[in-house]
Amino acid sequence: HGDGKVGIWSISEGGVGLKSEFLVLQEGHGMSVLSMVQVGRSVWLGTAAGMIWVTSLGSHGLVRRTVSLQGAAKTHVGGVRCLLEVGQEVWSASDSGDLHVWRVSDCEHVRGMQCPGGKVRVMTRLPDGGVLTGHG
């Protein structure tokens, strides 16, 4: 059971402390935030329910709005475990092994595919422009 909250933390000489906490997703089952990536002035959030939310940040880190990327072809079957910015796109991957690519400028779905290795736990960008995925 997730609470749909994200926190902004600060690090100083005195240690680490929670600066702000925001409710950005609807409370309820499956709204646990499993992954996130900052893209410009937005933060993309992947949830246990297989949805991706895009949250705009204000000038002081305050959440201005949150929109959900949904639809049959646009929602992951399993929890969205990883998000990765790749140029002008965001790649998302889930527990069910599906991988989706989104255009950053308008949050539109570009393409989707099934990863042969099953559950995707991590992704990282390689120096040659490729994407490395870890499964398990």
Side-chain angles (χ1 to χ4, degrees), residues 5-105:
K5 292 182 181 177
V6 297
I8 296 176
W9 295 80
S10 63
I11 301 173
S12 65
E13 290 181 24
V16 177
L18 183 62
K19 183 177 173 182
S20 305
E21 186 176 53
F22 304 100
L23 177 66
V24 294
L25 306 177
Q26 303 165 2
E27 289 191 57
H29 180 69
M31 286 300 122
S32 295
V33 176
L34 300 180
S35 57
M36 66 176 68
V37 64
Q38 182 178 350
V39 181
R41 295 294 303 156
S42 296
V43 176
W44 294 52
L45 307 165
T47 71
M51 290 186 286
I52 298 171
W53 295 72
V54 180
T55 301
S56 295
L57 300 175
S59 59
H60 300 288
L62 302 175
V63 174
R64 290 193 318 211
R65 66 180 175 83
T66 302
V67 296
S68 174
L69 308 183
Q70 298 185 52
K74 300 177 186 174
T75 304
H76 286 275
V77 176
V80 180
R81 292 284 174 180
C82 40
L83 295 163
L84 179 68
E85 182 181 11
V86 180
Q88 298 301 309
E89 300 172 331
V90 170
W91 289 32
S92 60
S94 72
D95 286 339
S96 60
D98 54 327
L99 188 143
H100 292 276
V101 178
W102 310 85
R103 191 171 36 244
V104 170
S105 61

